[in-house]
Amino acid sequence: MFHSSYIEISKSALQHNIAFLKEEIGPQVKLSSVVKGNAYGHGIEHFAPLAQECGVDHFSVFSADEAERLLQSLKKPATIMVMGYLDQPEVEWAIAHGIEFFVFEPGRLTAATEAAGKLGKPARIHLEMETGMNRTGFTLAQLEKLLPLLHQARGKVELAGACTHYAGAESLQNHERVLDQLSKYKQQLQYLESAGYHPAQCHTACSAAMVSYPETRMDLVRIGIMQYGFWPSPETYRHYLGLHRDRKDPLRRLITWKSSIMSFKNVPQGEFVGYGTSFQAPRDMQLAIVPVGYAWGYSRNLSNQGQVLIRGVRAAVVGIVNMNVMMVDVTDIPGVQPEDEVVLLGTQGEESITVASFGELSTQLNYELLTRLPINIPRYIVE
Ligand SMILES: *Cc1c(COP(=O)(O)O)cnc(C)c1O
């Protein structure tokens, strides 16, 4: 198979998650499937057609290169929305292909207006509001200055949406800030409407906001992490469970990342394992060498922290994760064989490795580990 590890993507898990998300938001709210970061590591080309089969017809990406990959892989027409980077030629390319995009700079509005005029095709834009994230978007004062440009753009630019993004809806710590952002958004929207501009779709919610702040759902929700079966944070999961006491985790993970044992090493008590002295064998040990390392996105932070599954049993990563290999402790796993399957992420038998179980329950870990899965690990769709 010419590769030391591979990724399986479960179709039934995605069907299940999409059905859950649609039930959660109801028929009035549109679901936009966020597939930036190579579909959170799942692979745009594998994930997007599968999502379409599950009834998704709206996708959000960060940039034109991702939009282009989406266009190439989609089997049916769908709305594509670029939330981030586009250079000048890409603005024109986007309009030509009917791709919608966020506008958060006067320059991009001008570029869109010019390109739309040239192409004889309207640009479909989403005005992004600065509400407190302090990243991209127009403040109320900047919106006021934008009005003349919007006026000039009439007929060439369609106001497809007005949007904003919350700075940490996955943590209760940011509660006041999120509410403040919501109220600023409403003010800015009201201002736009009083000036005669009526965005077709109002949207502000990511996964965490969708769960914890239902009033942020509006016309459309931009859902990334949850469609892949992961919660934005343990807090968001607890919030959900608090509202649905009878229910277990409604999400299923799509991804299983697998490798196999490459070699074994017996290490006497007292010896150090791998580079440096971070791990000293507390007893005589048997280690399995697994041909995956940080070059394939298995973070070096998981040195002496991570766990994998072999024969349905957890095996701890010992020593530093190397570029291409890591060592795991199989001393207590009877009958291990060369080429035994190693699950790095996902389920084997009764056990599961979730990203969160990698010790550190940091919010960003799910997102980061997934998106760091390199594009060149083969991906396969399984039922
Ligand atoms: C990534 C992103 C989302 C999706 O976030 P999740 O937490 O993965 O649901 C939504 N909106 C914007 C602007 C984003 O950048």
Side-chain angles (χ1 to χ4, degrees):
M1 220 169 35
F2 308 122
H3 226 280
S4 66
S5 74
Y6 61 98
I7 289 169
E8 290 175 352
I9 312 281
S10 161
K11 181 177 175 183
S12 56
L14 180 60
Q15 270 165 339
H16 176 91
N17 294 344
I18 298 289
F20 164 73
L21 289 165
K22 285 196 166 175
E23 186 197 309
E24 191 65 17
I25 60 180
Q28 306 302 328
V29 180
K30 182 114 205 134
L31 174 74
S32 182
S33 163
V34 179
V35 294
K36 66 190 183 193
N38 197 27
Y40 292 47
H42 292 66
I44 286 186
E45 288 77 6
H46 294 88
F47 180 83
L50 209 56
Q52 281 198 303
E53 283 180 47
C54 300
V56 169
D57 62 2
H58 195 295
F59 293 92
S60 297
V61 294
F62 176 74
S63 52
D65 59 305
E66 293 173 337
E68 154 98 271
R69 285 172 58 199
L70 249 184
L71 272 183
Q72 302 284 337
S73 50
L74 291 178
K75 301 283 191 284
K76 291 181 273 190
T79 306
I80 301 177
M81 181 165 82
V82 176
M83 304 185 292
Y85 185 76
L86 290 173
D87 65 17
Q88 198 103 345
E90 288 169 348
V91 165
E92 190 173 327
W93 173 85
I95 299 168
H97 288 84
I99 292 169
E100 305 182 358
F101 50 90
F102 284 19
V103 167
F104 43 78
E105 294 274 358
R108 187 175 283 184
L109 180 57
T110 320
T113 311
E114 279 169 17
K118 192 169 138 195
L119 292 165
K121 187 173 178 186
R124 294 182 50 78
I125 68 158
H126 296 253
L127 278 187
E128 188 182 3
M129 315 292 187
E130 173 55 69
T131 56
M133 172 96 171
N134 288 313
R135 189 170 72 176
T136 43
F138 298 106
T139 60
L140 186 54
Q142 290 167 331
L143 270 185
E144 287 169 14
K145 291 204 194 113
L146 197 71
L147 280 191
L149 284 185
L150 271 179
H151 189 74
Q152 283 165 25
R154 278 208 154 145
K156 298 198 181 92
V157 164
E158 287 172 12
L159 199 48
C163 54
T164 195
H165 186 53
Y166 298 106
E170 73 286 344
S171 172
L172 211 63
Q173 207 184 325
N174 303 318
H175 183 67
E176 293 301 320
R177 189 169 171 202
V178 168
L179 293 184
D180 191 51
Q181 284 193 268
L182 178 59
S183 112
K184 285 216 174 80
Y185 173 83
K186 286 180 180 161
Q187 263 177 28
Q188 278 154 277
L189 184 65
Q190 208 169 28
Y191 173 78
L192 264 186
E193 294 193 325
S194 68
Y197 296 95
H198 300 274
Q201 285 173 320
C202 293
H203 52 104
T204 67
C206 57
S207 297
M210 187 273 287
V211 172
S212 300
Y213 302 91
E215 67 273 33
T216 63
R217 294 176 186 177
M218 305 177 193
D219 302 314
L220 173 147
V221 292
R222 306 181 303 258
I223 302 296
I225 196 84
M226 282 179 75
Q227 56 179 338
Y228 306 106
F230 294 89
W231 290 88
S233 68
E235 265 180 82
T236 310
Y237 180 40
R238 282 197 295 273
H239 183 93
Y240 174 84
L241 285 182
L243 298 172
H244 305 79
R245 286 178 198 285
D246 49 323
R247 287 170 83 163
K248 296 194 302 254
D249 188 350
L251 298 177
R252 294 193 194 151
R253 293 181 191 92
L254 273 58
I255 212 165
T256 309
W257 184 17
K258 292 179 176 175
S259 182
S260 52
I261 294 177
M262 173 173 103
S263 178
F264 290 101
K265 182 68 74 184
N266 291 312
V267 180
Q269 180 184 6
E271 293 270 308
F272 292 108
V273 172
Y275 291 122
T277 54
S278 75
F279 187 85
Q280 187 172 24
R283 54 172 174 162
D284 290 350
M285 296 177 83
Q286 186 183 28
L287 305 183
I289 319 303
V290 180
V292 174
Y294 59 79
W296 287 291
Y298 198 91
S299 174
R300 218 166 164 280
N301 293 335
L302 296 169
S303 300
N304 290 309
Q305 295 268 341
Q307 294 184 331
V308 302
L309 300 175
I310 297 171
R311 298 193 167 238
V313 179
R314 288 176 181 276
V317 174
V318 297
I320 304 290
V321 172
N322 297 177
M323 184 185 291
N324 301 109
V325 296
M326 62 172 130
M327 283 74 98
V328 302
D329 178 8
V330 293
T331 316
D332 297 325
I333 306 180
V336 278
Q337 298 287 329
E339 309 214 355
D340 270 358
E341 179 185 273
V342 178
V343 167
L344 305 157
L345 197 57
T347 301
Q348 189 190 52
E350 308 276 289
E351 291 282 349
S352 291
I353 304 287
T354 64
V355 190
S357 72
F358 281 150
E360 187 192 344
L361 274 166
S362 132
T363 304
Q364 291 314 317
L365 214 61
N366 279 347
Y367 294 82
E368 209 183 312
L369 186 133
L370 290 171
T371 50
R372 263 204 308 246
L373 289 171
I375 209 158
N376 62 346
I377 299 180
R379 277 128 172 112
Y380 303 100
I381 309 290
V382 296
E383 262 312 300

